Amino acid sequence: VSGAVTMFDAPMAQVESPHLEAAVERLRAVVDHGDIADRAADHFRSCVHLLDRYDPRGGVPVHASIVDVRPSPSDCDFMGTEEKQALTRGSWRELRSSGEHWTMIAGANAAQAAGMLVQSAGVCEVEPLGAGPIQR
């Protein structure tokens, strides 16, 4: 399989976001501007509610390998290894970053997570879940 789909702590098959309101409060604190904070919070809730309805299990597997960058542990990891592997005809590789979802996006762990994304972009083939990169 050539190429890879890269995911960044993507929630899949979540029943209901377990930390929605805590995340909304973090967002409000960062935006810190009345009406804009309210609109950002509403938008964020709408996006999370859409993710709550998304469950890829049972669909047609993609023809690409998957690189899944996540913190350890991830609050957004709702599927087991076999369920993930069934989503692709390629391989599934998981890379674990320090921190948590928000510090990977824009906090202390963003540089490490970005490095993992850059690394995964240069990988043409990836090993199955739990294995390291192919040595060149």
Side-chain angles (χ1 to χ4, degrees):
V1 173
S2 178
V5 172
T6 303
M7 299 190 327
F8 191 75
D9 201 25
M12 297 183 305
Q14 68 185 25
V15 177
E16 183 177 322
S17 181
H19 307 290
L20 175 59
E21 290 310 312
V24 166
E25 289 311 309
R26 286 178 83 170
L27 175 67
R28 286 178 159 294
V30 170
V31 173
D32 193 35
H33 187 277
D35 184 50
I36 295 172
D38 290 342
R39 290 174 32 201
D42 289 344
H43 176 80
F44 182 77
R45 278 190 193 98
S46 295
C47 291
V48 171
H49 288 307
L50 284 173
L51 289 170
D52 287 347
R53 294 174 28 201
Y54 175 65
D55 189 340
R57 294 174 290 197
V60 177
V62 297
H63 290 274
S65 294
I66 308 293
V67 177
D68 188 8
V69 179
R70 294 187 178 277
S72 185
S74 170
D75 289 338
C76 298
D77 196 1
F78 302 99
M79 294 173 58
T81 302
E82 290 180 12
E83 290 175 307
K84 291 175 184 177
Q85 187 57 52
L87 300 177
T88 179
R89 292 200 169 111
S91 60
W92 191 290
R93 180 170 175 224
E94 204 167 274
L95 301 174
R96 291 294 181 158
S97 173
S98 301
E100 44 92 20
H101 184 84
W102 297 105
T103 63
M104 283 175 52
I105 293 172
N109 305 101
Q112 179 190 29
M116 291 177 166
L117 291 171
V118 169
Q119 173 194 8
S120 72
V123 175
C124 292
E125 295 182 24
V126 294
E127 291 294 317
L129 184 64
I134 293 174
Q135 300 300 316
R136 298 193 183 227

